[in-house]
Amino acid sequence: MSFRLLLACLFTAFAPPVFAEKAANTPWIVATYAYPGRDRIVAIQPLAEYLAKRGRHPVQVRLFSSPTALVEAMRNGQADVVVPNLHAYLQARRDVAHMTTLPVPQVPAVQADRYRAVLVARGVESFADMRARAGQLRLVLVGRDSASGGFVPSRYLRSQGLDPGTAFASVAYAGSHASALQAVVEGHADVAALAGDVYSATPAADVTELWRSDPIPPGPLLCRAAVGVPCQSFAMWLLEAHDHDPAVMAALRVGWPEFGDATMFIPADIGRLSEVVLAQD
């Protein structure tokens, strides 16, 4: 064996595991999606810091423009641990090949019961009246990938023979639940879909509730299963977060009002979430 070949063999034998070292030093990306009036970066910062401390590993925090963009980031390897809404959870379940469902905030029963979608209207007497005049009415939704202000009421409308995109005179997206309600109050729309708790907290004259959904479960946190991303450890650490760092949930509650007064994480109810998937399909 030549001296050069011997050196090459020795270098290969004793060279550090480059890919393992790279994975060990690559920050975990903790991410979520933007929402008007909520500083979601601030809301997930304690979560990121907690995971960094428990794992003794660097982290980065990122914000994406929408729930759909958040799922796309997971699919492209640009997000490892994410705080989604229910729509993003359902998208990721369908579109992300290697995904782990993490725990979900335990919302107190009374508050969980209030997280529903509603359809409200001005100048419309009932759901039957809306159905009869849909072609002359302007519909406003919160967003395509909103849960209570998007796919849940849209799914119900379709079940009643009213496709939101074709049955109404027009359909628009307000960007927030408060803006959707305001569009009806100010006469810019006739019918609005939004979260029931937002509507209940902001009573408006001459606005009638036409329909209210069953309670909507919040989406659990998600993890992109990949080399160097310990999803099972994340799940365990989240279940212990209320003891180790209560600030994690306190910040998430500010970012997501639907989490109510949750103080701890619990394992996600996959059975209940599966029922939502089947209902959506």
Side-chain angles (χ1 to χ4, degrees):
M1 180 181 292
S2 70
F3 181 70
R4 288 185 178 179
L5 181 58
L6 177 62
L7 283 179
C9 291
L10 289 173
F11 179 80
T12 301
F14 294 101
V18 176
F19 293 106
E21 183 178 350
K22 183 177 179 181
N25 293 328
T26 301
W28 296 328
I29 301 173
V30 180
T32 191
Y33 62 97
Y35 185 81
R38 302 282 173 180
D39 192 336
R40 292 275 173 81
I41 286 289
V42 171
I44 64 172
Q45 189 66 44
L47 169 65
E49 293 172 357
Y50 171 68
L51 295 179
K53 182 179 180 181
R54 292 298 303 268
R56 298 180 180 179
H57 192 93
V59 298
Q60 291 180 356
V61 174
R62 291 186 186 173
L63 186 71
F64 294 90
S65 60
S66 68
T68 297
L70 181 65
V71 173
E72 184 67 19
M74 284 191 74
R75 188 164 49 233
N76 294 336
Q78 298 174 356
D80 299 316
V81 177
V82 306
V83 184
N85 68 348
L86 181 60
H87 191 278
Y89 166 78
L90 297 178
Q91 281 184 292
R93 177 169 171 154
R94 181 189 64 215
D95 297 339
V96 179
H98 302 288
M99 182 202 78
T100 297
T101 299
L102 297 177
V104 64
Q106 184 183 39
V107 184
V110 172
Q111 294 173 330
D113 186 70
R114 291 202 294 263
Y115 184 42
R116 302 170 183 251
V118 295
L119 287 167
V120 301
R122 187 178 182 187
V124 180
E125 295 181 359
S126 64
F127 191 93
D129 183 27
M130 182 192 70
R131 192 207 309 265
R133 298 195 290 123
Q136 289 78 50
L137 301 176
R138 299 159 297 169
L139 172 67
V140 62
L141 304 170
V142 173
R144 289 180 175 87
D145 48 11
S146 170
S148 55
F151 87 87
V152 172
S154 294
R155 183 184 65 199
Y156 179 74
L157 287 170
R158 284 192 292 270
S159 76
Q160 301 301 305
L162 296 170
D163 188 303
T166 59
F168 292 85
S170 65
V171 59
Y173 298 95
S176 73
H177 298 274
S179 295
L181 178 59
Q182 197 65 22
V184 169
V185 171
E186 295 179 354
H188 303 305
D190 304 300
V191 182
L194 65 148
D197 56 346
V198 174
Y199 171 66
S200 298
T202 315
D206 302 325
V207 176
T208 302
E209 182 178 319
L210 306 178
W211 167 80
R212 182 172 289 252
S213 74
D214 292 334
I216 302 171
L221 275 64
L222 298 173
C223 179
R224 182 183 68 90
V227 175
V229 183
C231 294
Q232 297 307 316
S233 294
F234 293 154
M236 178 182 68
W237 297 338
L238 288 175
L239 293 174
E240 299 170 347
H242 60 286
D243 286 328
H244 288 267
D245 193 350
V248 172
M249 188 63 74
L252 291 177
R253 289 197 305 266
V254 175
W256 284 265
E258 59 264 37
F259 292 162
D261 294 325
T263 59
M264 62 187 297
F265 288 94
I266 59 173
D269 187 343
I270 301 299
R272 185 183 180 198
L273 291 167
S274 296
E275 291 176 359
V276 176
V277 173
L278 292 173
Q280 185 195 28
D281 295 341

